[in-house]
Amino acid sequence: MTQQKTELFIKICMKTWLLCETCVHAEETSKHPRYDLISECTACARSCFALVSKLVAECDMEDMGNMVWDCMIHCRQCAQECGKYTDDEDLGLCADVCEVCGDSLRELTRFSLN
């Protein structure tokens, strides 16, 4: 995989991680935290951060195992959960970014299948 492609995946996953962490913090400090939202955003943030760590370490795609798949699934689940709250602008943004991240990771899954 080219360096430019790797940098793009790192950038997308880092943005997703930061937004999910922000949403988790906002929910945990709110008067009525939505625990399903906290759970999905936390799982997405963790999987994105783990994948970025591997990509930055320039690991071989074979060394990543199911990380790419897990991250793609968590991003999609987080996008669905955040998308339930269309009245909240921050959660709408999180849903959009998670969807972009999940969709972009499909390209990485092709590399991990080979």
Side-chain angles (χ1 to χ4, degrees), residues 37-113:
L37 185 65
I38 291 170
S39 177
E40 292 299 339
C41 286
T42 298
C44 185
R46 286 181 180 163
S47 64
C48 284
F49 189 79
L51 184 58
V52 165
S53 297
K54 285 286 191 179
L55 289 171
V56 168
E58 298 180 18
C59 288
D60 213 2
M61 285 306 295
E62 289 136 18
D63 294 340
M64 290 190 197
N66 290 327
M67 277 184 132
V68 178
W69 288 97
D70 290 342
C71 191
M72 184 176 72
I73 290 168
H74 285 299
C75 286
R76 289 183 174 186
Q77 288 173 325
C78 190
Q80 282 184 326
E81 187 63 31
C82 289
K84 293 178 183 178
Y85 306 100
T86 56
D87 58 325
D88 187 310
E89 191 176 317
D90 292 333
L91 292 176
L93 177 61
C94 187
D96 291 343
V97 170
C98 287
E99 188 173 334
V100 167
C101 188
D103 288 346
S104 70
L105 291 175
R106 278 190 288 177
E107 186 173 333
L108 266 182
T109 60
R110 290 185 207 132
F111 288 109
S112 67
L113 287 174

